[in-house]
Amino acid sequence: MADKACKLVLSEYDVFGFDLDHTIAKYHIENLFKLSYDSLISFLVSEKGYPEELNNGFDSHTDFLTRGIIFEKESGNFLKLDEDGYILRASHGTTFLTSSEIIKIYGTDRKWDHAAEIVSSVNNSDSYFIFENFFDMSGIVVVAHLIDVIDKMFGLIFRKEND
C-alpha cells in the first residue's frame, strides 16, 4: 500500500479555489485583502477607465474590514448593526459619521429600516448590499473609495455636523 502514495499534481488542475474558514490552511488574511484590493483597483483603472484617484490606499482604511457591513446603495452609507438592527457605526464613503449624525439620518432609536428583512433572509436587495464574508473585504474599501470619488466628481460634500 505504501508504494501507491497519493500525489497532488497542481498542473493537472485548471482552477484552484480558496476556503477562507481556515480549515485547510491558515492564511495571512491581511496580505490576501491587500492583494485583492490592488488587483481590483488595477483592473478598474486600467481596463474599465475608472479614475486613478480611486486608488486611495488600502492600508489607511483597514477599519472597514469587518464582516457584516451593509452598504446602502442610494445613500452611499455603510452600516454595522447589532443583532437587533441597532446601528453601531456608520460611514459615508470613508467618512465616519458621529453619533449625532447617525441619529439625524436614522432616528433616535438608531434602528435600520431593513433590519427585519436581513434577520429573516440574509439576501441583498435593490436598496442594500451585505458584505458578509472574507471574500468581500477588499470590495468594501473599493466601494467606499468610489463613493468618495463620485461625491468629489459631482461636487457632493458630505458635511459633518461641526462643519
Side-chain angles (χ1 to χ4, degrees):
M1 193 62 99
D3 58 337
K4 293 189 177 195
C6 180
K7 283 176 43 175
L8 176 66
V9 182
L10 295 178
S11 62
E12 294 177 1
Y13 295 87
D14 295 327
V15 177
F16 301 97
F18 291 94
D19 182 12
L20 289 179
D21 65 1
H22 301 283
T23 55
I24 297 173
K26 283 283 191 191
Y27 298 97
H28 294 283
I29 205 91
E30 297 82 11
N31 295 340
L32 183 62
F33 294 161
K34 176 85 168 96
L35 175 64
S36 175
Y37 172 85
D38 289 342
S39 299
L40 185 54
I41 290 292
S42 175
F43 173 78
L44 290 173
V45 171
S46 64
E47 301 294 322
K48 295 297 182 182
Y50 281 70
E52 181 67 41
E53 65 184 316
L54 185 60
N55 189 1
N56 194 14
F58 179 78
D59 296 328
S60 60
H61 296 110
T62 56
D63 43 358
F64 280 90
L65 303 180
T66 304
R67 288 183 288 180
I69 297 286
I70 297 165
F71 173 63
E72 286 188 315
K73 295 176 183 178
E74 189 174 319
S75 69
N77 293 343
F78 292 87
L79 308 173
K80 181 64 179 176
L81 309 176
D82 73 4
E83 63 275 358
D84 296 318
Y86 177 83
I87 300 170
L88 299 170
R89 67 179 184 160
S91 73
H92 178 80
T94 60
T95 303
F96 280 95
L97 280 63
T98 65
S99 184
S100 298
E101 291 167 330
I102 293 170
I103 289 168
K104 191 175 189 178
I105 297 168
Y106 297 100
T108 55
D109 63 355
R110 294 175 63 136
K111 292 279 188 165
W112 187 54
D113 291 342
H114 301 282
E117 294 171 29
I118 292 176
V119 170
S120 64
S121 172
V122 182
N123 290 318
N124 296 311
S125 81
D126 290 340
S127 44
Y128 59 84
F129 182 87
I130 307 166
F131 290 94
E132 60 180 313
N133 61 54
F134 283 132
F135 289 107
D136 295 334
M137 295 297 103
S138 58
I140 297 171
V141 180
V142 171
V143 173
H145 288 170
L146 189 56
I147 295 301
D148 294 344
V149 168
I150 290 169
D151 284 355
K152 185 176 178 183
M153 285 173 58
F154 291 98
L156 304 172
I157 299 171
F158 180 79
R159 298 200 188 279
K160 287 195 168 189
E161 194 173 282
N162 299 333
D163 290 348

